[in-house]
Coordinates of all heavy atoms in Angstrom, one line a residue:
S6 N 91.8 130.2 10.3 CA 91.2 128.9 10.5 C 90.6 128.8 11.9 O 91.4 128.6 12.9 CB 92.2 127.8 10.3 OG 91.6 126.6 10.7
L7 N 89.3 129.0 12.1 CA 88.7 128.9 13.4 C 88.9 127.6 14.0 O 89.2 127.5 15.2 CB 87.2 129.2 13.3 CG 86.4 129.2 14.6 CD1 87.0 130.3 15.5 CD2 84.9 129.4 14.3
K8 N 88.8 126.5 13.3 CA 89.0 125.1 13.8 C 90.4 125.0 14.4 O 90.5 124.5 15.5 CB 88.8 124.1 12.7 CG 89.0 122.7 13.1 CD 88.9 121.7 12.0 CE 90.2 121.9 11.1 NZ 90.4 121.0 10.1
D9 N 91.4 125.4 13.7 CA 92.8 125.3 14.2 C 93.0 126.2 15.4 O 93.7 125.8 16.3 CB 93.8 125.5 13.1 CG 93.9 124.4 12.1 OD1 93.8 123.2 12.5 OD2 93.9 124.7 10.9
C10 N 92.4 127.3 15.4 CA 92.5 128.2 16.5 C 91.9 127.6 17.8 O 92.6 127.6 18.8 CB 91.9 129.6 16.3 SG 92.8 130.7 15.2
V11 N 90.7 127.1 17.6 CA 90.1 126.4 18.8 C 90.9 125.3 19.3 O 91.2 125.2 20.5 CB 88.6 126.0 18.4 CG1 88.0 125.1 19.5 CG2 87.8 127.2 18.2
I12 N 91.3 124.4 18.4 CA 92.1 123.2 18.8 C 93.4 123.6 19.6 O 93.7 123.2 20.7 CB 92.5 122.3 17.6 CG1 91.2 121.6 17.1 CG2 93.5 121.3 18.0 CD1 91.4 121.0 15.7
N13 N 94.1 124.5 18.9 CA 95.5 124.9 19.5 C 95.4 125.7 20.7 O 96.2 125.5 21.6 CB 96.3 125.5 18.4 CG 96.8 124.5 17.4 OD1 97.9 123.9 17.6 ND2 96.1 124.2 16.4
Y14 N 94.5 126.7 20.8 CA 94.4 127.5 22.0 C 93.8 126.7 23.2 O 94.2 126.9 24.3 CB 93.7 128.8 21.7 CG 94.5 129.7 20.9 CD1 94.3 130.0 19.6 CD2 95.6 130.4 21.5 CE1 95.1 130.8 18.9 CE2 96.4 131.2 20.8 CZ 96.2 131.4 19.5 OH 97.0 132.3 18.8
L15 N 93.0 125.7 22.9 CA 92.5 124.8 23.9 C 93.7 123.9 24.4 O 93.8 123.7 25.6 CB 91.4 123.9 23.4 CG 90.0 124.5 23.4 CD1 89.0 123.6 22.8 CD2 89.6 124.9 24.9
L16 N 94.5 123.5 23.5 CA 95.7 122.7 23.9 C 96.7 123.5 24.8 O 97.3 123.0 25.7 CB 96.4 122.1 22.7 CG 95.6 120.9 22.1 CD1 96.2 120.5 20.7 CD2 95.5 119.7 23.0
I17 N 96.8 124.8 24.4 CA 97.6 125.7 25.3 C 97.0 125.8 26.7 O 97.7 125.7 27.7 CB 97.8 127.1 24.7 CG1 98.8 127.0 23.5 CG2 98.4 128.1 25.7 CD1 98.9 128.3 22.7
L18 N 95.7 126.0 26.7 CA 95.0 126.1 28.0 C 95.2 124.8 28.8 O 95.5 124.8 30.0 CB 93.5 126.3 27.8 CG 92.6 126.4 29.0 CD1 93.0 127.6 29.9 CD2 91.2 126.5 28.6
I19 N 95.1 123.7 28.1 CA 95.3 122.4 28.8 C 96.7 122.2 29.3 O 96.9 121.6 30.4 CB 94.9 121.2 27.8 CG1 93.4 121.2 27.7 CG2 95.4 119.9 28.3 CD1 92.8 120.4 26.5
T20 N 97.7 122.8 28.7 CA 99.1 122.6 29.2 C 99.4 123.6 30.3 O 100.3 123.4 31.1 CB 100.1 122.8 28.0 OG1 99.9 124.0 27.4 CG2 100.0 121.7 27.0
V21 N 98.6 124.7 30.3 CA 98.8 125.7 31.4 C 98.0 125.5 32.6 O 98.4 125.7 33.7 CB 98.6 127.1 30.8 CG1 98.5 128.2 31.9 CG2 99.6 127.5 29.7
L22 N 96.8 125.0 32.4 CA 95.8 124.8 33.5 C 96.4 124.0 34.7 O 96.1 124.3 35.8 CB 94.6 124.1 32.9 CG 93.3 124.2 33.8 CD1 92.9 125.7 34.1 CD2 92.1 123.5 33.0
P23 N 97.1 122.9 34.5 CA 97.6 122.2 35.6 C 98.4 123.0 36.6 O 98.4 122.8 37.8 CB 98.5 121.0 35.0 CG 98.0 120.9 33.6 CD 97.5 122.2 33.2
H24 N 99.1 124.0 36.0 CA 100.0 124.8 36.9 C 99.1 125.7 37.8 O 99.5 126.0 38.9 CB 100.9 125.7 36.0 CG 101.9 124.8 35.3 ND1 103.0 124.3 35.9 CD2 101.9 124.4 34.0 CE1 103.7 123.6 35.1 NE2 103.1 123.6 33.9
F25 N 98.0 126.1 37.3 CA 97.1 127.0 38.1 C 96.3 126.1 39.1 O 96.1 126.5 40.2 CB 96.1 127.8 37.2 CG 96.8 128.9 36.5 CD1 97.0 128.8 35.2 CD2 97.2 130.0 37.2 CE1 97.7 129.8 34.5 CE2 97.9 131.0 36.5 CZ 98.1 131.0 35.2
M26 N 95.9 124.9 38.6 CA 95.0 124.1 39.5 C 95.8 123.5 40.6 O 95.3 123.2 41.7 CB 94.4 123.0 38.7 CG 93.4 123.5 37.7 SD 92.6 122.1 36.8 CE 91.7 121.3 38.1
L27 N 97.1 123.2 40.4 CA 97.9 122.5 41.4 C 99.0 123.4 42.0 O 99.8 122.9 42.7 CB 98.6 121.3 40.7 CG 97.7 120.4 39.9 CD1 98.5 119.3 39.2 CD2 96.7 119.7 40.8
R28 N 98.9 124.7 41.8 CA 99.9 125.6 42.3 C 100.1 125.5 43.8 O 101.2 125.7 44.4 CB 99.7 127.0 41.8 CG 98.5 127.6 42.4 CD 98.4 129.0 42.0 NE 97.1 129.6 42.4 CZ 96.5 130.6 41.9 NH1 97.1 131.2 40.9 NH2 95.4 131.0 42.4
S29 N 99.0 125.3 44.6 CA 99.1 125.2 46.0 C 99.8 123.9 46.5 O 100.3 123.9 47.6 CB 97.8 125.4 46.7 OG 96.9 124.4 46.3
K30 N 99.8 122.9 45.6 CA 100.3 121.6 46.0 C 101.8 121.5 45.8 O 102.5 120.9 46.5 CB 99.6 120.5 45.2 CG 98.1 120.5 45.3 CD 97.7 120.2 46.7 CE 96.2 120.1 46.7 NZ 95.6 120.2 48.1
I31 N 102.3 122.2 44.7 CA 103.7 122.1 44.3 C 104.3 123.5 44.5 O 104.0 124.4 43.9 CB 103.9 121.7 42.9 CG1 103.3 120.3 42.6 CG2 105.3 121.7 42.5 CD1 103.2 119.9 41.2
K32 N 105.2 123.6 45.5 CA 105.8 124.9 45.8 C 107.1 125.1 45.1 O 107.3 126.2 44.6 CB 106.1 124.9 47.4 CG 104.8 124.8 48.2 CD 104.0 126.0 48.2 CE 102.9 125.9 49.2 NZ 101.7 126.6 48.9
R33 N 107.9 124.1 45.0 CA 109.3 124.4 44.4 C 109.2 124.5 42.9 O 108.6 123.7 42.3 CB 110.3 123.4 44.9 CG 110.1 122.0 44.4 CD 111.1 121.0 45.0 NE 110.8 119.8 44.4 CZ 111.6 119.0 43.7 NH1 112.9 119.4 43.6 NH2 111.3 117.9 43.2
N34 N 109.9 125.5 42.4 CA 110.1 125.6 41.0 C 108.8 125.7 40.1 O 108.8 125.5 39.0 CB 111.0 124.5 40.4 CG 112.2 124.2 41.2 OD1 112.8 125.1 41.7 ND2 112.6 123.0 41.3
R35 N 107.8 126.1 40.8 CA 106.5 126.1 40.1 C 106.3 127.2 39.0 O 105.4 127.1 38.2 CB 105.3 126.1 41.0 CG 105.2 127.4 41.8 CD 103.9 127.3 42.6 NE 103.6 128.6 43.1 CZ 103.2 128.9 44.3 NH1 103.0 128.0 45.1 NH2 102.9 130.2 44.6
H36 N 107.1 128.2 39.1 CA 106.9 129.4 38.2 C 107.8 129.3 36.9 O 107.7 130.1 36.0 CB 107.2 130.7 38.9 CG 106.2 130.9 40.0 ND1 104.9 131.1 39.8 CD2 106.4 131.0 41.3 CE1 104.3 131.2 41.0 NE2 105.2 131.2 41.9
T37 N 108.6 128.3 36.8 CA 109.5 128.2 35.6 C 108.7 127.9 34.3 O 109.2 128.1 33.2 CB 110.6 127.2 35.8 OG1 110.0 125.9 36.1 CG2 111.6 127.6 36.9
W38 N 107.4 127.4 34.4 CA 106.6 127.2 33.2 C 106.4 128.5 32.5 O 106.2 128.4 31.3 CB 105.3 126.4 33.6 CG 104.3 127.3 34.3 CD1 104.2 127.4 35.6 CD2 103.3 128.1 33.7 NE1 103.1 128.2 35.9 CE2 102.6 128.7 34.7 CE3 103.0 128.4 32.4 CZ2 101.5 129.6 34.5 CZ3 101.9 129.3 32.1 CH2 101.2 129.8 33.2
Y39 N 106.3 129.6 33.2 CA 106.2 130.9 32.5 C 107.3 131.1 31.5 O 107.1 131.6 30.4 CB 106.2 132.1 33.5 CG 105.0 132.2 34.4 CD1 105.2 132.0 35.8 CD2 103.8 132.6 33.9 CE1 104.1 132.2 36.6 CE2 102.7 132.8 34.7 CZ 102.9 132.6 36.1 OH 101.8 132.8 36.9
L40 N 108.5 130.8 31.9 CA 109.7 131.0 31.1 C 109.6 130.1 29.8 O 110.0 130.5 28.7 CB 111.0 130.7 31.8 CG 111.3 131.6 33.0 CD1 112.4 131.1 33.8 CD2 111.5 133.0 32.6
V41 N 109.1 128.9 30.0 CA 108.9 127.9 28.9 C 107.9 128.5 27.9 O 108.1 128.5 26.7 CB 108.5 126.5 29.4 CG1 108.2 125.6 28.2 CG2 109.6 126.0 30.3
M42 N 106.8 129.0 28.4 CA 105.8 129.6 27.6 C 106.3 130.8 26.8 O 106.1 130.9 25.6 CB 104.5 130.0 28.4 CG 103.4 130.3 27.4 SD 101.8 130.4 28.3 CE 102.0 131.9 29.2
I43 N 107.0 131.7 27.5 CA 107.5 132.9 26.8 C 108.6 132.5 25.7 O 108.5 132.9 24.6 CB 108.1 133.8 27.8 CG1 107.0 134.4 28.7 CG2 109.0 134.9 27.1 CD1 107.5 135.2 29.9
T44 N 109.5 131.6 26.1 CA 110.5 131.1 25.2 C 109.8 130.4 24.0 O 110.2 130.7 22.8 CB 111.4 130.1 25.8 OG1 112.0 130.7 27.0 CG2 112.5 129.6 24.9
S45 N 108.8 129.6 24.2 CA 108.1 128.9 23.1 C 107.4 129.9 22.2 O 107.4 129.7 21.0 CB 107.1 127.9 23.7 OG 107.8 127.0 24.5

């Protein structure tokens, strides 16, 4: 399903993007989102 792929992979991008955009602003504990993504 191309539609579901586009929707869901865009939503993954949207949940990951803030960590890349704001990484220089938030120093502490900023890499733990990787663990959440891998676990998920």
Side-chain angles (χ1 to χ4, degrees):
S6 172
L7 180 61
K8 176 186 73 171
D9 288 318
C10 283
V11 169
I12 291 170
N13 283 272
Y14 286 104
L15 278 174
L16 289 170
I17 289 175
L18 178 64
I19 288 166
T20 57
V21 169
L22 197 57
H24 295 283
F25 288 107
M26 293 182 68
L27 307 174
R28 69 177 172 201
S29 62
K30 306 292 183 198
I31 300 173
K32 299 287 188 207
R33 70 184 178 122
N34 310 325
R35 70 174 192 221
H36 297 298
T37 55
W38 71 269
Y39 288 115
L40 298 172
V41 174
M42 189 166 73
I43 291 167
T44 303
S45 299

